Amino acid sequence: MGGLAQWSWTLDGWIIVAGMLCAAATALLGNFLVLRKMSMLGDAITHAILPGLAAAFLISDSRSSLPMFVGAVIAGILTALFTEWIRGFGKVDEGASMGVVFTSLFALGLVMIVQAADRVDLDPGCVLYGAIELTPADTVLIAGWEIPRVVFVLSIVLLINLLFVILFLKELKLSSFDPALATTTGFNATFIHYALMTLVAITAVASFEAVGNILVVAMFVVPPAAAYMLTDRLGVMLILSVLLAMFSAIIGHISAITVPYWFGFQSTSTAGMMAVAAGLLFIIAALFSPRHGVVIVFLRRQFLAWQILADDIVALMYRIEERDPELRPDAFYLRDILFSRPLPTSLTLGYLVRHSQLVHANGTYTLTDTGRDRARQLVRSHRLWEHYLVEHAGMSTETIHRQAEQLEHFTDRELRDRLNADTLDTDQDPHGRPIPPEEHAP
Amino acid sequence: MSLSARMLILLLMLSPGPVLLAAEGKSIQTQRSITDRSIEWPAWEDWRRVFFMQDYNTRVVILGTTLLGMSAGMIGSFALLRKRALMGDALSHATLPGIAIAFIIGSTLGLNGKSLPLLLTGAAISGLLGIAGILMIRNLTRLKEDAALGIVLSVFFGAGIALLNIVQQMQTGHAAGLESFIYGKTASMIASDAWLIGGAGLSCVLVALLLYKELTLLCFDEGFADSRGFPVVLLDTLLMGLVVIVTIIGLQAVGLILMISLLVIPPAAARFWTEKMLWLTVVAVVLGALSGMIGSGMSAIFPNLPSGAMIVLVATAMFLFSMIFGVPRGILVRKYRRYELNTKVNRQHLLRGLYEYLEAHQQLPIGVTDSAPPVSLSALEQLRSWSLPALKKIIRSAQDERLVTLLSDNRVQLTLSGLKEAARVVHEHRLWELYLITYADVASSKVDQDADAIEHVLEPEVIAELESLLVRQSTEGILQSPHDIDLPQSLSAPTFRRTN
């Protein structure tokens, strides 16, 4: 029997809605935490609100929601404040000051709670798991609809966060990317900072109560980080992160109720699986993002390396023809000069032969006309650059070769023409070698 | 984990609701104690017993936490300087799935799922995977360290929770108590735990001591270490491995979150007392040991105080004390030094102002014993953007040093020693200006400001070097100013304009 067989819209539906709302609200603010390199703040705040809860309980002597909520939010804001103070006044590194603050507050909270309840062995774990599974059990009546209280609260939080981000998008952007400029252009970067911190605390507390801290910490960091891998634009990043967060909430819950059944267990922690789902989405984004993905970047580098090797081979063949037309180089000879490894060299040679830039016969290689054209342009670029570097950049003839070697691969026709104009149409490079003409002489 | 704790937390976590209502029945016993907040002052006998560690249990716990504090202080020092303070946080969370998987594998194979070596192995493997994840995210993507930590922490912890949830449904093993292993209960520490902590902690300390030079170099200048052929990546991984081991042995003693504090707080506190790596580790080890000792001691005396949390709060108190009173890097010392410097700078500005005013009006005394003519406050006030009260304060401080005299008609007169000091200050200012013009290509119209900022902190050796560098210009006593002195027009005497 699979977990989905027990699917119920009133239960699972509401759990997923609560997860999505929490994920969206946290991910939205998380973008700015990631951009400001404060990703750990969510974790710190969710741990540090314990004394706030305890203090609210001790002061109000009640278990009602509101004082607890206020106490927790105040503790959350204090975490951000104290971290900032210790960093500023004490000149302690940001990570360390955060570590000092939240662990201290957490310890203080433990002591306070134990004081409140005599001789209770306290397990911090159960504070942290949260209980998103209990979402449907606690409902409120809103406009005739019976909806879970958690869903109601999280909708309001999401709405506030959305308003904040939309209203202050420009300020948030500027103060995240360039706080110094933000301050000099006149608006108050400090205000934005603390407004953001307050909202982070409120969001953390509201979600924490509903879904546990794992999900909060995960959604603050993981979807924005994934979105950051996918785009360079802040607006796109915001939207992507929210979509990814909501998507991971859906997959998370579905896998929480299905995957354990495959191994003969019952369902597992939804919040935990939502975090895992977000992690998987992050891995996919980090590996396969079209611009910044690890795989794509690696492949792009490989292709570039091969292309440069191909360039080097034809250019070397051209130079060999130029100096010693009788010499018929083989693969070993080429490798010896280019210091290249066997496999990439033979692959590249094969590629060049297939694209009829080289002819392979009796183990030796010769340039075709196409290949010679390509090689001539490269050698021309190289020697033009050498000339330019000596004439205009004041470099000595001994050092220019390496520089020109790099530049030649990225020089197109237009740039060559400009270089040519700059070098007054000379036909010799600084080493005394002829600069080949642009077009093949008939 | 006790049931009543869960009840309490659920209660504290607010709100009516069916589930919480179900808890209501059991919570009634704890109801009275919730409102009972008195701490009973322990009898002398209790103090004596703890102080002389007469109980076996107390002895074990205090010894264990002290050793833990020492090793965490040592390893934490390196982690702190490497700016890896929160690494312990991420790592301790990352150990969770490993513990759960080790338990699942162990009990599926029919072993004792809760055997300590098995769980610790699982924890270490998953911690190392966490490190690998952090390093890969940091090195291969465009995300920074903080995001890498946050991602690994939350995803691993989420996976751990999901796995633990499954563990609890297992028929084969007896999972109860697994969580208390993770969250730790210091008070129930037994001798073998203390030995484990001591053994593992000491080996970590030993490794750190053997590689002291290499690790120090790694912390301060990774690039240099790399260029000198040190295996940087290996050392880095080793350091992280040490953090993992210390974290894991600490899990049981003080719990997941509080363990981080032992790695972070003592070294951060020690940082206020020293600039030297060796002293940093020594002070951090001492502070860590003291936190463990005092914290668990207090917890033993006052039964109401949980030991893990008390250890952390003792460490926090030491941190706050160090941050405020630490020498040479504490807040008070830095404030005092800044105040001293400000006073000195202001005094020198006053002297230079007086001297240059007299010079501009050609009223400088010729002979050594002649006294300088007094200058009115209002003239002085226009030299710089001084407010009258600020100026008066500066004059008073200079008067205390017997450099100037404030005459009754609101005029200021340089004393003989004041005149000498003023001449020296002006000389140094101009030396520096000349240096900036000659060697740093600063425009002579701008040079005054630049010199102004820097002249007060020049060491005598620098002055001597400047003198020898610029010896041509400095043959005739006080240097001439290399630029027009910008006195307010109304004050300049017609003879003032110089033409050099």
Side-chain angles (χ1 to χ4, degrees):
Chain A
M1 189 184 70
L4 276 180
Q6 295 171 344
W7 179 274
S8 136
W9 278 109
T10 45
L11 293 179
D12 299 288
W14 279 128
I15 293 175
I16 287 187
V17 169
M20 283 167 70
L21 285 171
C22 161
T26 31
L28 197 60
L29 298 183
N31 286 292
F32 302 103
L33 295 185
V34 168
L35 290 176
R36 287 157 179 253
K37 304 188 183 62
M38 295 165 69
S39 307
M40 294 296 277
L41 193 73
D43 181 50
I45 284 183
T46 48
H47 285 114
I49 62 180
L50 203 54
L53 290 175
F57 179 75
L58 291 176
I59 293 170
S60 72
D61 222 346
S62 78
R63 283 174 241 132
S64 60
S65 302
L66 195 64
M68 292 275 173
F69 189 81
V70 173
V73 169
I74 290 175
I77 298 170
L78 284 180
T79 313
L81 266 181
F82 287 157
T83 305
E84 192 66 24
W85 284 350
I86 291 187
R87 195 184 61 78
F89 293 133
K91 306 248 177 270
V92 178
D93 151 58
E94 171 111 35
S97 61
M98 200 179 275
V100 171
V101 171
F102 88 84
T103 55
S104 301
L105 285 178
F106 186 75
L108 185 68
L110 284 187
V111 171
M112 286 168 77
I113 283 192
V114 176
Q115 286 314 303
D118 187 40
R119 286 169 197 282
V120 171
D121 291 320
L122 187 95
D123 173 11
C126 54
V127 195
L128 303 178
Y129 292 158
I132 190 172
E133 289 86 351
L134 304 178
T135 301
D138 174 16
T139 56
V140 286
L141 215 61
I142 307 283
W145 291 65
E146 199 172 301
I147 65 169
R149 202 179 51 87
V150 167
V151 171
F152 176 63
V153 171
L154 286 176
S155 309
I156 292 176
V157 171
L158 176 60
L159 209 66
I160 296 174
N161 289 353
L162 258 177
L163 270 177
F164 175 71
V165 170
I166 291 171
L167 284 179
F168 293 101
L169 186 60
K170 206 178 68 201
E171 286 82 356
L172 279 166
K173 191 177 188 172
L174 194 56
S175 63
S176 296
F177 287 106
D178 196 340
L181 178 68
T183 313
T184 52
T185 40
F187 77 84
N188 200 337
T190 323
F191 166 75
I192 290 287
H193 177 79
Y194 284 112
L196 181 65
M197 291 307 110
T198 310
L199 280 186
V200 165
I202 291 176
T203 310
V205 174
S207 325
F208 174 96
E209 175 208 337
V211 299
N213 95 320
I214 317 152
L215 194 57
V216 181
V217 177
M219 292 303 161
F220 266 131
V221 189
V222 186
Y228 186 58
M229 295 299 297
L230 294 172
T231 178
D232 287 334
R233 305 195 58 83
L234 181 64
V236 182
M237 181 177 163
L238 288 169
I239 295 168
L240 269 180
S241 68
V242 170
L243 289 179
L244 284 169
M246 300 198 334
F247 191 46
S248 40
I250 300 173
I251 320 175
H253 182 64
I254 292 177
S255 52
I257 59 174
T258 53
V259 176
Y261 275 91
W262 303 342
F263 303 97
F265 297 104
Q266 288 155 26
S267 63
T268 182
S269 154
T270 291
M273 288 310 283
M274 286 179 175
V276 174
L280 291 179
L281 288 181
F282 169 78
I283 292 176
I284 294 172
L287 287 180
F288 303 111
S289 152
R291 288 200 60 180
H292 304 287
V294 174
V295 172
I296 303 297
V297 168
F298 175 78
L299 286 181
R300 215 186 286 141
R301 284 210 189 117
Q302 275 308 312
F303 278 126
L304 187 62
W306 284 333
Q307 196 196 338
I308 286 178
L309 185 59
D311 278 356
D312 285 346
I313 289 175
V314 288
L316 178 62
M317 300 282 295
Y318 183 89
R319 291 192 173 97
I320 291 170
E321 274 188 357
E322 197 179 47
R323 253 181 257 194
D324 185 1
E326 296 309 308
L327 185 67
R328 293 274 172 267
D330 58 6
F332 183 78
Y333 180 86
L334 292 172
R335 250 173 39 216
D336 199 37
I337 293 183
L338 292 172
F339 297 113
S340 56
R341 279 172 298 144
L343 185 67
T345 314
S346 51
L347 282 177
T348 313
L349 283 171
Y351 169 86
L352 287 171
V353 170
R354 256 201 322 282
H355 285 76
S356 53
Q357 300 191 1
L358 291 181
V359 177
H360 185 218
N362 307 326
T364 64
Y365 293 90
T366 31
L367 280 170
T368 63
D369 282 346
T370 338
R372 201 169 290 115
D373 271 346
R374 177 180 178 183
R376 191 177 44 251
Q377 285 170 6
L378 280 162
V379 172
R380 179 174 160 81
S381 302
H382 182 93
R383 291 179 182 164
L384 280 172
W385 269 118
E386 288 194 334
H387 196 95
Y388 180 85
L389 289 172
V390 168
E391 292 291 312
H392 292 271
M395 292 173 73
S396 76
T397 41
E398 286 83 44
T399 53
I400 49 176
H401 181 76
R402 184 177 283 275
Q403 188 86 36
E405 190 75 37
Q406 287 173 4
L407 291 167
E408 66 182 28
H409 303 289
F410 307 100
T411 306
D412 58 4
R413 172 75 198 257
E414 195 189 335
L415 188 52
R416 271 200 302 280
D417 287 345
R418 278 176 53 197
L419 281 171
N420 192 35
D422 269 351
T423 51
L424 303 171
D425 291 318
T426 38
D427 49 5
Q428 277 204 337
D429 76 354
H431 302 293
R433 302 218 156 267
I435 296 176
E438 184 69 44
E439 297 299 331
H440 176 59
Chain B
M1 172 183 57
S2 93
L3 192 65
S4 54
R6 193 184 281 269
M7 296 307 154
L8 175 76
I9 296 306
L10 283 174
L11 283 175
L12 281 174
M13 291 305 293
L14 43 127
S15 76
V19 182
L20 299 185
L21 287 177
E24 206 74 30
K26 293 214 172 173
S27 69
I28 286 167
Q29 300 117 308
T30 54
Q31 187 69 27
R32 191 180 299 134
S33 50
I34 284 177
T35 47
D36 173 20
R37 281 158 217 162
S38 59
I39 301 177
E40 230 173 275
W41 192 252
W44 163 243
E45 180 64 14
D46 296 332
W47 284 95
R48 201 176 54 84
R49 290 183 75 84
V50 172
F51 195 72
F52 293 103
M53 294 198 266
Q54 285 183 336
D55 295 326
Y56 174 75
N57 190 37
T58 316
R59 223 159 35 221
V60 167
V61 171
I62 291 185
L63 191 72
T65 50
T66 307
L67 285 172
L68 182 70
M70 290 174 77
S71 33
M74 173 117 197
I75 306 301
S77 303
F78 294 107
L80 178 86
L81 289 179
R82 197 101 178 79
K83 300 212 190 310
R84 292 278 167 76
L86 287 180
M87 193 67 124
D89 190 14
L91 285 181
S92 53
H93 286 85
T95 54
L96 195 57
I99 292 171
I101 291 177
F103 181 83
I104 293 176
I105 293 176
S107 33
T108 314
L109 294 179
L111 304 168
N112 174 15
K114 276 196 285 184
S115 91
L116 203 55
L118 181 75
L119 293 181
L120 286 185
T121 314
I125 292 174
S126 121
L128 286 171
L129 281 176
I131 295 177
I134 291 169
L135 291 180
M136 275 166 70
I137 293 175
R138 204 193 53 184
N139 295 340
L140 297 181
T141 74
R142 61 196 201 126
L143 290 161
K144 301 292 181 300
E145 177 109 8
D146 64 306
L149 289 176
I151 291 167
V152 166
L153 179 147
S154 55
V155 173
F156 271 67
F157 196 65
I161 296 298
L163 284 167
L164 270 190
N165 220 303
I166 289 177
V167 164
Q168 279 157 356
Q169 303 165 15
M170 287 183 72
Q171 307 290 313
T172 41
H174 189 58
L178 193 59
E179 286 179 339
S180 88
F181 166 77
I182 297 157
Y183 293 107
K185 264 191 249 139
T186 320
S188 65
M189 191 185 280
I190 56 172
S192 65
D193 298 335
W195 282 118
L196 182 77
I197 291 174
L202 279 180
S203 349
C204 285
V205 169
L206 209 66
V207 172
L209 283 177
L210 283 175
L211 294 171
Y212 196 82
K213 204 180 68 190
E214 286 79 0
L215 288 176
T216 309
L217 196 56
L218 178 76
C219 293
F220 281 105
D221 197 338
E222 189 179 351
F224 180 69
D226 200 13
S227 70
R228 295 296 298 269
F230 287 96
V232 169
V233 177
L234 191 71
L235 282 172
D236 207 14
T237 317
L238 183 89
L239 179 58
M240 291 302 106
L242 292 178
V243 173
V244 174
I245 295 173
V246 173
T247 308
I248 289 169
I249 58 173
L251 283 183
Q252 210 181 4
V254 291
L256 198 64
I257 293 107
L258 302 185
M259 186 53 223
I260 306 144
S261 59
L262 274 186
L263 280 167
V264 176
I265 301 179
R271 193 73 188 86
F272 292 112
W273 295 104
T274 176
E275 305 272 6
K276 291 208 160 48
M277 182 65 202
L278 183 67
W279 282 112
L280 177 75
T281 26
V282 171
V283 177
V285 165
V286 171
L287 289 182
L290 282 177
S291 314
M293 204 184 292
I294 301 174
S296 47
M298 281 173 77
S299 161
I301 296 172
F302 302 93
N304 262 1
L305 302 178
S307 46
M310 280 321 291
I311 294 173
V312 176
L313 288 183
V314 170
T316 308
M318 290 179 179
F319 174 84
L320 290 178
F321 182 83
S322 308
M323 183 166 98
I324 296 170
F325 299 105
V327 178
R329 289 168 57 101
I331 291 179
L332 280 187
V333 166
R334 282 211 322 271
K335 278 257 182 307
Y336 177 72
R337 243 185 265 135
R338 165 138 298 210
Y339 172 78
E340 286 272 274
L341 183 66
N342 274 343
T343 318
K344 184 177 148 198
V345 167
N346 280 329
R347 196 184 296 145
Q348 294 191 348
H349 282 162
L350 175 72
L351 292 179
R352 188 153 65 84
L354 281 167
Y355 187 95
E356 284 181 346
Y357 181 87
L358 295 176
E359 185 186 45
H361 291 78
Q362 302 191 322
Q363 291 173 338
L364 277 177
I366 316 291
V368 196
T369 47
D370 296 354
S371 61
V375 179
S376 73
L377 267 184
S378 54
L380 269 179
E381 207 183 335
Q382 290 173 57
L383 291 179
R384 282 179 172 269
S385 51
W386 277 320
S387 71
L388 195 59
L391 181 61
K392 279 191 169 151
K393 211 175 130 199
I394 297 167
I395 292 174
R396 238 175 286 133
S397 116
Q399 205 170 7
D400 290 345
E401 301 284 318
R402 301 191 183 288
L403 295 170
V404 297
T405 329
L406 183 60
L407 303 175
S408 53
D409 55 350
N410 260 350
R411 291 191 304 164
V412 189
Q413 187 176 24
L414 282 166
T415 63
L416 274 181
S417 58
L419 187 59
K420 237 161 84 188
E421 175 70 6
R424 189 186 68 80
V425 169
V426 170
H427 182 69
E428 282 177 14
H429 176 77
R430 290 178 185 172
L431 257 183
W432 193 246
E433 282 184 336
L434 264 179
Y435 175 79
L436 288 178
I437 291 173
T438 320
Y439 291 93
D441 282 339
V442 177
S444 60
S445 57
K446 223 184 133 276
V447 77
D448 189 43
Q449 282 171 17
D450 291 8
D452 214 27
I454 214 160
E455 65 193 42
H456 312 285
V457 288
L458 292 180
E459 302 282 328
E461 304 90 75
V462 181
I463 300 290
E465 199 166 319
L466 286 177
E467 293 269 16
S468 65
L469 257 173
L470 303 161
V471 71
R472 260 177 312 118
Q473 291 97 330
S474 63
T475 41
E476 42 198 285
I478 315 293
L479 281 170
Q480 295 283 301
S481 178
H483 58 84
D484 290 347
I485 293 177
D486 192 17
L487 287 180
Q489 209 55 45
S490 60
L491 293 172
S492 323
T495 49
F496 166 59
R497 287 279 158 216
R498 236 189 315 241
T499 51
N500 56 331

